[in-house]
Amino acid sequence: MTVAAPAVRFRAVTRHFGPVKAVDGVDLEIAPGEFFSMLGPSGSGKTTCLRLIAGFDQPSAGEIEIFGVPSAGVPPYARAVNTVFQDYALFPHMNVLDNVAYGLMVRGVGKRERHARAAEALALVKLGQHGERRPVQLSGGQRQRVALARALVNQPRVLLLDEPLGALDLKLREEMQVELKALQRKLGTAFVFVTHDQGEALSMSDRVAVFNEGRIVQVGPPEEIYERPRTDFVARFVGGSNVLPAAVARGIGGPDAPCSLRPEAIVLLTGPAPEGHAALTAMIEDAQYHGAARRLLVTVEGADLRLAVSIPAAEGGGFGPGQTVTLGIPLAALWAMEAA
Amino acid sequence: MRSDRASRPLKLAALGGLLFLHVPLLFVFLYAFTTEEKSYQFPPPGLTLKWFGVAFARQDIWDAIGLSLKVAALATSVALVLGTLIAAALARRQFFGREAVSLLVILPIALPGIVTGIALRAAFNLLEIDYGLLTIILGHATFCIVVVYNNAVARFRRLSGSLVEASMDLGADGFQTFRYVILPNIATALLAGGMLAFALSFDEVIVTTFTAGQQSTLPIWMLSELVRPRQRPVTNVVAVFVILVTFLPILAAYYLTRDESQHK
């Protein structure tokens, strides 16, 4: 049995900018055809990793392989990857069709063939009728599609996307999430998707790598990242989860470790705590209505601890700041994490 | 639509400024047609076209025009290549001393021409270069580079860095990226800078005085004619020609750069 080489492999990759370690000893493997997200706050090293794959930047140490081929010294134009840039980077002096055909043009594909293939790529992103326009005449969403078509027309084996949806409004962003995912399934190309939006990463990816301060904190399928965070950074950043210090967790009969606790797992009690639940008295600081859910921000009495509680909007319409409530914490919902 | 109208004193001041700038030019035109050849007498005793014929027949004028055009064209070419390269280097990268280098590039145009002239003369003597076409071109290139650089660097800064990366990412090597992405985006800036450089070189006197050998460029020729009270209106005919030659490229450069900002 032959094992296919991973689409992208990082081996102890480090990138320093002077004293700053933008990427600090990253190991990862991205499978062919995988939708892989790099998630993290700005400055966490995810975009630098993308630029290292594209070849715009070179690692200070470590190795990057693309389909088993070491990429050291390979210039960007000789790599089997293409990039969709955050600002789209469309050529302002060319029309849309020539923008999309650019990669074919510089490789010497004849005019008729490259225009035919560019038109196909535009049709793929549902922009078939805009070939004659200039980029400035398009909306943000349309430019984004042109950038996508321009990368895909070269049939890359890995497509790199640098926060491609960041500049779009919410509705368009959700539409594009669905379309990107469908496109990726159809083409079978590995997508490496950089984002700081956890919802985006969770909803589209096969696997997510969570970055913090130049390192990968956790990598795994979205469910695992969301439900079983490895550190409190992942818990807070990915899911807006509550983090209970080890002392509090131990005090209510849970594990002797910092624990994550999802806001929707907490219930409000009116009587004694049911089996498997610990009761905590807390005061409401703020109550927010979010449509489907109601979010309470509470302070636990006797502990310096604030928790977010999410309850169905139909319950507890009468809650307001200053009120005291009893929280039921299901011990089974406490997920023990590594001490920071 | 502009709702605020300029007040009357402001209009008068603007008119006065325009007259101050342009009435002298009208005299240059007027005296090209006067019949009085020894001194500039107002009003001219009579009008004639004969000086155009006289100027046309004089070989020294043609030599001076030819030399000036040659110098301006070559100095501009040198400046286009070097100015663009400097701009590309300084606009993109951050490195220690970048601001200082940028200042050094602009300095020749801020320095009095006479200082540039003396400095160049000292350098040419040291290198034992004979004064002639080459030294005039080198002298002019010092300030032509600045003009091209200034135009190009502004455009390079507007050119998003990711365009170059996008081009490389899509498979273009360095030369293709320059040819298909960078050049089309800076072309009008280079044209405008080149035209300004050409116009500057064409009417330069001071640096030329220091770097020319026996030859006369057109402005030098005119200067020497002024001290000789012979066929004075011929100088005016040539001056009219110089005004046209320098004014047209500057006008064109103005329109080229203006259009760009409107498209934004």
Side-chain angles (χ1 to χ4, degrees):
Chain A
M1 196 180 105
T2 56
V3 179
V8 178
R9 172 187 280 154
F10 276 44
R11 278 208 196 100
V13 171
T14 296
R15 176 68 174 110
H16 296 212
F17 294 104
V20 182
K21 288 184 176 179
V23 175
D24 186 11
V26 165
D27 290 284
L28 65 82
E29 281 188 14
I30 300 170
E34 185 175 30
F35 198 122
F36 188 88
S37 286
M38 294 179 173
L39 174 67
S42 57
S44 60
K46 56 195 194 306
T47 296
T48 306
C49 281
L50 199 76
R51 294 174 58 80
L52 291 172
I53 302 173
F56 302 138
D57 201 355
Q58 307 298 326
S60 312
E63 274 177 29
I64 297 172
E65 287 175 7
I66 297 169
F67 283 96
V69 181
S71 67
V74 181
Y77 54 82
R79 298 189 179 200
V81 303
N82 284 113
T83 308
V84 176
F85 290 82
Q86 188 170 14
D87 64 354
Y88 314 141
L90 300 179
F91 304 125
H93 58 291
M94 295 180 189
N95 69 23
V96 165
L97 194 68
D98 284 331
N99 258 286
V100 177
Y102 185 85
L104 302 172
M105 192 259 294
V106 295
R107 286 192 170 84
V109 177
K111 188 168 186 171
R112 182 172 301 173
E113 191 194 337
R114 69 172 186 255
H115 277 175
R117 281 168 62 185
E120 267 175 42
L122 281 172
L124 191 69
V125 297
K126 300 176 186 167
L127 215 57
Q129 69 281 38
H130 292 312
E132 294 305 312
R133 298 213 189 158
R134 292 276 170 141
V136 287
Q137 295 169 297
L138 301 179
S139 70
Q142 289 170 329
R143 280 181 219 181
Q144 214 272 316
R145 286 160 194 264
V146 176
L148 195 58
R150 186 178 67 173
L152 288 175
V153 78
N154 305 294
Q155 298 173 325
R157 300 183 72 185
V158 182
L159 184 71
L160 310 174
L161 302 107
D162 186 8
E163 310 223 4
L165 309 181
L168 305 182
D169 62 51
L170 183 65
K171 185 172 176 297
L172 210 50
R173 198 154 70 215
E174 286 172 349
E175 279 174 28
M176 280 308 291
Q177 285 177 18
V178 175
E179 279 186 39
L180 266 183
K181 182 69 194 164
L183 205 57
Q184 191 263 341
R185 243 182 251 122
K186 182 170 155 188
L187 298 172
T189 307
F191 277 31
V192 181
F193 187 91
V194 162
T195 180
H196 62 264
D197 183 319
Q198 54 277 30
E200 221 163 78
L202 293 179
S203 66
M204 300 166 77
S205 315
D206 296 318
R207 281 193 308 150
V208 179
V210 182
F211 278 73
N212 189 31
E213 295 176 346
R215 294 164 184 267
I216 292 181
V217 190
Q218 186 171 4
V219 58
E223 297 83 357
E224 190 182 308
I225 299 279
Y226 187 76
E227 288 164 18
R228 296 189 290 282
R230 208 164 67 79
T231 69
D232 69 347
F233 173 81
V234 179
R236 289 177 210 271
F237 188 77
V238 175
S241 218
N242 295 302
V243 174
L244 271 55
V248 175
R250 192 176 56 235
I252 59 174
D256 184 12
C259 287
S260 86
L261 176 63
R262 310 229 55 84
E264 64 270 20
I266 303 174
V267 293
L268 296 182
L269 300 177
T270 45
E275 182 64 30
H277 282 62
L280 284 175
T281 312
M283 191 170 75
I284 297 177
E285 268 183 39
D286 193 23
Q288 299 165 341
Y289 176 65
H290 283 269
R294 205 176 284 277
R295 202 171 171 83
L296 306 178
L297 200 61
V298 304
T299 316
V300 175
E301 279 180 10
D304 182 20
L305 178 64
R306 296 169 90 206
L307 295 176
V309 180
S310 181
I311 55 174
E315 294 175 22
F319 287 121
Q323 257 176 284
T324 302
V325 290
T326 307
L327 307 176
I329 313 281
L331 295 178
L334 290 174
W335 171 255
M337 299 182 299
E338 289 175 13
Chain B
M1 286 288 278
R2 207 163 287 172
S3 59
D4 54 330
R5 293 178 61 90
S7 67
R8 186 177 291 267
L10 193 58
K11 279 185 196 161
L12 285 175
L15 184 68
L18 277 176
L19 289 177
F20 171 72
L21 285 174
H22 292 292
V23 165
L25 284 182
L26 293 180
F27 279 97
V28 171
F29 279 88
L30 181 66
Y31 286 130
F33 299 95
T34 183
T35 50
E36 165 62 52
E37 75 165 277
K38 292 235 161 32
S39 62
Y40 291 139
Q41 187 187 349
F42 189 83
L47 297 174
T48 174
L49 286 173
K50 80 165 182 178
W51 302 118
F52 284 83
V54 173
F56 192 79
R58 277 179 57 174
Q59 188 55 39
D60 55 337
I61 297 178
W62 286 112
D63 288 347
I65 290 177
L67 180 65
S68 274
L69 289 176
K70 203 191 281 177
V71 167
L74 290 170
T76 303
S77 310
V78 170
L80 279 175
V81 174
L82 295 182
T84 307
L85 291 177
I86 300 171
L90 292 186
R92 276 276 159 274
R93 301 200 176 273
Q94 288 289 346
F95 56 86
F96 177 74
R98 186 178 91 149
E99 294 309 312
V101 173
S102 161
L103 186 69
L104 283 177
V105 173
I106 299 175
L107 201 61
I109 216 164
L111 277 181
I114 198 153
V115 174
T116 311
I118 292 171
L120 283 169
R121 205 169 172 91
F124 292 148
N125 278 335
L126 199 65
L127 297 172
E128 293 176 355
I129 300 174
D130 290 333
Y131 293 98
L133 183 64
L134 177 68
T135 51
I136 304 176
I137 291 169
L138 291 179
H140 284 202
T142 56
F143 53 83
C144 288
I145 286 176
V146 181
V147 179
V148 172
Y149 165 80
N150 267 341
N151 273 271
V153 82
R155 190 65 59 89
F156 268 117
R157 291 208 171 121
R158 265 199 283 158
L159 193 70
S160 154
S162 59
L163 286 188
V164 172
E165 288 186 347
S167 172
M168 303 283 257
D169 185 73
L170 292 165
D173 57 29
F175 175 75
Q176 287 173 316
T177 299
F178 181 78
R179 162 81 184 75
Y180 295 119
V181 175
I182 298 176
L183 199 56
N185 278 296
I186 64 168
T188 49
L190 290 188
L191 195 58
M195 283 176 176
L196 283 173
F198 190 94
L200 271 184
S201 162
F202 196 75
D203 69 3
E204 214 286 333
V205 173
I206 302 168
V207 173
T208 319
T209 315
F210 282 89
T211 54
Q214 296 308 307
Q215 299 126 306
S216 290
T217 61
L218 201 57
I220 299 285
W221 175 88
M222 288 170 76
L223 202 61
S224 61
E225 279 304 287
L226 279 182
V227 277
R228 260 183 298 174
R230 182 179 65 99
Q231 294 187 327
R232 281 202 150 176
V234 170
T235 320
N236 285 64
V237 169
V238 177
V240 168
F241 172 78
V242 172
I243 289 172
L244 293 180
V245 167
T246 49
F247 183 65
L248 291 178
I250 287 177
L251 197 68
Y254 171 75
Y255 274 104
L256 279 174
T257 41
R258 193 193 61 157
D259 272 353
E260 279 305 305
S261 56
Q262 276 177 347
H263 282 308
K264 262 193 81 85

